[in-house]
Amino acid sequence: MSTLAPPRPEAAQPDKSPPAEVKRWVPSSRWAWALGVVVLWIGIWALTKGNDTLALAGRERTGVQDALAEFRDKVIASRGDNPLIQLTYEIGSGFTSLVDWLQRMVSVENFPRPVPEIGWLGVTAVAVWIGLAVAGWRIALLIAASFVSFGVFGYWSDAVDLLIVTFVAVAVSVLVGMPLAVLMGTGNRAVNAVMTTFLDVFQTIPTFVFLAPIALFFGIGASGAVVATLLYALPPIIRVAGHGIRTVSATTIEATDSAGQTRWQRLAKVQLPMARRTIVVGLNQTTLAALSMATIAAFVDGPGLGQPVLDYLKTVNVGGAFVPGVLIVVIAVMLDRTTTAASEYGERAARGGVDLKRRRIVLAAAAVPVLVCLYMSRTYPWAAEFGDSTWGPRLADAVNDFFGWFTDNFRDLTQGFKDLTSAVLLNPLESLLAESPWWLAAGALLLLAFVLGGLRALVPTLLCVAGLLYFGLWHDAMITLNMTLVGTVLVMVLALVFGVWMARSPKLDLVMRPLLDAGQTIPPFVYLIPVLALFGITRFTAIVAGVVYAAPVAIKLVADGVKAVSPTTLEATRSTGSTTWQEIIKVQLPMARASLVLAANQGLLYVLAMAVIGGLVGAGGLGYDVVLGFARSEEWGFGAAAGISIVLLGIMVDRIARAAAQKTSR
């Protein structure tokens, strides 16, 4: 997380104000130029709108989209003799076999045995014992409650399947990612630059876009789900663990090198142990990323809770989707708290804060009931398979009744908010972006990139704009960009209000911080469920879901940036008689400008990710195009072009925002 360093006290003194004003005016002039570009754009748009928009009519397809469809057909036809395709399918087959074996062990019947090899009671007991061993009794209780809830609400098999896919993907991510993290942490600047570029691209790609090429090369089902989850979960462990290794104190390394240690000894005995805490943070982020992607993988028939969520969303059954959605949240919170607590418990044990002898005795004693539970789960049907439960259907009915009551009584309010936002922001901006001639919109975007970020933003924007034109979905890309920008505006409004409030009120920060942390652990798929109930199947549903998804990280960035402003500077401002409003507007927000730009950057990417998923609920644009490519095999080339266009759009807005943030920081 990037925040401004606290300024020196003398920077706020009145006699130093002229230099400070000059520094503030430089970035302001960039925004003035940007405003000028927008005004010029609007003027030309008023004369040319509706011409050369590059909108495709009906089933019309470009040559590039047809070529992508032909590529897919060639890949399918060459599965028998193409070594690369054979290799990818062998890898996928290996993942499928592993997942299938684990499922038959703990979640589905292992024919001719009508139940799994280890029933729910044994699985729960083993999971609780592991939690006790790595993180203590509080986490053990959390795990017990979580596993029992899977069965009580009627989704034991789906929940355990989701955990299986997540754990397989995380295990492979660690095996592949840790060597790359070591290379990144110990390599030279050129190696870091190359790896950082690849990681940036992978983390900019919305989750949905991973699915089409992976389904093509690895197949659908467990294989596609594991590979998609693996690729999405890999960057965090590489980036975070590599950062931890690279930032180990140079003085410590020099001191140990003087003893004549080898490079391997330095890594194993100094760098990895000292970077342990950061590595665990990377593992935590990888686990949550894997869980998030494992739910999206339901689109390629991946096992887990994503399947019932998707099935109920298709029929707009909010209550039915709510129950498995809540269980996904339960899994996310359980994994997040377990990995964090395991790191803290391990550090405490390393410092001698844990009685190891007593710990061994407790674990040995706890193993006895675990063995008993394993025996019972293999012997008694009630301990092997959860019986039918009415809790899930009853909760689903209650949720449907609540949302029915809410929409009946607050329909005018929600509809009014939707209509107001559409009239003020959504419709005018969509008209400007999507109804401008392509050459006008492209030129305006290039000028804005140069004004805000210089050549660092102009070059990638030029490449991305060229790519969007090449793949033939310019009009739909502008519709998606419109939804993303509107969503980002709403995110930043929330971030400014709550971020500044949290920074100025420690009590509110204490209350809001856990809620925001919980919000960041919820997979994006789940956000669609309540928003769908409130706003129905419209593009506005996708925007609001994106706002809810992106708001936590943006609020925290703004709060931390404003909080980092020096108390000495604030005291000097108050001594001149400034009001609270003047203090916020003229001191805290300008000095936290870099954090505000970073919050806008993250908001853009999060909202863009949800705009794609929103294609399921009438969002239109590139998201709908990708979903269409999945639903109809004859539209695969069209959907693939849309997926690539989303990647280009994400990279473009990311690079513009990053370059603007770097200029602002300087």
Side-chain angles (χ1 to χ4, degrees), residues 131-136 138-139 276-281 283-284 336-354 359 517:
L132 178 66
V134 302
R138 289 185 178 88
I139 295 300
R276 176 180 175 179
R277 185 181 184 89
T278 307
I279 292 172
V280 173
V281 172
L283 176 63
N284 175 275
D336 178 56
R337 297 298 182 266
T338 300
T339 52
T340 303
S343 172
E344 296 172 351
Y345 195 74
E347 288 186 4
R348 195 162 66 250
R351 293 194 302 267
V354 176
R359 180 187 181 190
D517 290 341

Side-chain angles (χ1 to χ4, degrees), residues 161-249:
D161 286 347
L162 179 57
L163 285 172
I164 288 172
V165 172
T166 300
F167 285 144
V168 170
V170 169
V172 178
S173 295
V174 172
L175 290 175
V176 175
M178 279 307 298
L180 294 175
V182 170
L183 178 63
M184 189 173 182
T186 59
N188 57 34
R189 183 174 297 180
V191 172
N192 286 342
V194 172
M195 293 188 68
T196 299
T197 301
F198 277 102
L199 294 176
D200 286 345
V201 172
F202 267 91
Q203 290 191 288
T204 304
I205 300 174
T207 54
F208 208 90
V209 181
F210 278 97
L211 300 181
I214 287 171
L216 178 61
F217 284 96
F218 293 91
I220 62 174
S223 58
V226 171
V227 174
T229 304
L230 164 65
L231 291 179
Y232 188 67
L234 193 57
I237 189 72
I238 298 174
R239 189 187 293 275
V240 178
H243 172 75
I245 295 170
R246 188 170 58 251
T247 54
V248 171
S249 171

Side-chain angles (χ1 to χ4, degrees), residues 7 9 12 503-504 562-580 582-584 586-589 591:
R504 297 180 63 88
V562 173
K563 192 182 297 184
V565 175
S566 171
T568 307
T569 303
L570 296 178
E571 290 173 6
T573 304
R574 291 163 186 163
S575 67
T576 63
S578 297
T579 65
T580 300
Q582 290 172 327
E583 185 179 307
I584 294 172
K586 296 185 177 181
V587 180
Q588 289 181 304
L589 290 181
M591 297 189 72

